[in-house]
Amino acid sequence: MGLQSFERSLERMVEGVFSRGSHSSIRPVELGRRLLREMDDNRSIDVKGRRIVPNDFSFRLSAKDHAGFADIDEALNSELCETAREYARAEGFHFMGAVAVTMAVDNSLKPGRFTVTSRLREAGGGGLASLVLPSGERVTLSDRTVTIGRLPDCTIALPDANVSRKHTEIRPSGTAFVINDLGSTNGTKVNGIRIEGERTLADGDIVSVGSTHLRFEAS
């Protein structure tokens, strides 16, 4: 999709969500643009040939601008994290852990000015990963194996003719979680691509089983 095209989509999306409620001299879309550029400018290649990008972003703003976002702070944080995930999916980037955004006051900054730093932060053992169902319900992932299939005794039972009796499973592997198709008829997809064997899940990955799409959140 490319950075510039994604930035245009970001502007339409973010400005629609936050057209009201912000009392800061900084537009939310400006934060989103800088976040995307941090990802683009700081990508690297790991030993497996994957393009790795930062997943931990720290914004610093003036006290006035920081207070101006107070009413939409939680929604803005969530939107910026989702923006990072969507851009990573579109460009084939990978995160080392959950996406996180923090905002802090820097008294040396004037209103309208902000800085951002980013880093690669590996998944730790302290957070709770989960699968988000289409209904918004969350299934927490811990030290157990979660099964997905048509059988009622599966952890996530899906009454879908395109889903096998025991279709796929997600289990812990060190500090990460891996997904493994259990020989299903129609296969399991991650971000639209059918998996072969095991695959380590990254924050924001979309798992498709039959006609159901579940989002993996690392914390």
Side-chain angles (χ1 to χ4, degrees):
M1 186 176 188
L3 179 59
Q4 291 184 340
S5 297
F6 201 89
E7 283 182 339
R8 288 194 291 270
S9 299
L10 170 70
E11 183 160 5
R12 291 192 297 270
M13 175 180 65
V14 173
E15 290 302 302
V17 174
F18 301 110
S19 57
R20 299 177 184 176
S22 171
H23 303 288
S24 171
S25 56
I26 299 171
R27 295 164 60 204
V29 71
E30 294 177 65
L31 303 178
R33 284 200 193 105
R34 285 289 294 275
L35 183 149
L36 296 181
R37 290 192 178 275
E38 278 293 304
M39 293 171 64
D40 223 46
D41 293 344
N42 294 285
R43 63 184 185 270
S44 58
I45 305 296
D46 72 0
V47 293
K48 297 180 180 179
R50 300 179 304 176
R51 293 187 293 172
I52 305 297
V53 292
N55 59 309
D56 190 282
F57 305 90
S58 177
F59 288 91
R60 303 185 75 83
L61 311 91
S62 70
K64 182 178 179 180
D65 285 325
H66 189 272
F69 284 127
D71 291 344
I72 61 169
D73 178 66
E74 187 174 335
L76 177 59
N77 189 293
S78 176
E79 197 70 27
L80 289 172
C81 288
E82 188 56 30
T83 293
R85 295 185 188 108
E86 287 189 13
Y87 187 51
R89 284 195 291 267
E91 296 299 306
F93 295 154
H94 292 266
F95 298 121
M96 294 178 67
V99 178
V101 173
T102 57
M103 295 195 188
V105 172
D106 185 337
N107 289 317
S108 70
L109 293 173
K110 296 179 179 179
R113 300 270 189 169
F114 68 91
T115 63
V116 60
T117 56
S118 62
R119 66 188 178 110
L120 302 172
R121 183 168 61 88
E122 292 189 27
L128 285 177
S130 62
L131 284 175
V132 184
L133 279 59
S135 64
E137 179 187 353
R138 291 175 181 271
V139 176
T140 300
L141 305 175
S142 54
D143 56 356
R144 61 173 178 160
T145 296
V146 169
T147 55
I148 304 172
R150 209 170 65 246
L151 287 177
D153 62 351
C154 287
T155 313
I156 301 175
L158 302 175
D160 182 342
N162 292 315
V163 174
S164 296
R165 291 158 60 84
K166 284 198 173 180
H167 196 105
T168 194
E169 67 177 14
I170 297 173
R171 58 179 176 76
S173 177
T175 59
F177 287 89
V178 297
I179 185 167
N180 180 39
D181 185 84
L182 299 174
S184 67
T185 302
N186 295 310
T188 300
K189 294 181 180 179
V190 175
N191 301 329
I193 300 173
R194 185 164 177 165
I195 63 171
E196 299 291 340
E198 291 186 351
R199 169 168 171 160
T200 300
L201 290 171
D203 186 50
D205 277 351
I206 302 298
V207 174
S208 299
V209 178
S211 59
T212 301
H213 308 291
L214 310 99
R215 185 173 73 252
F216 172 76
E217 292 190 356
S219 68

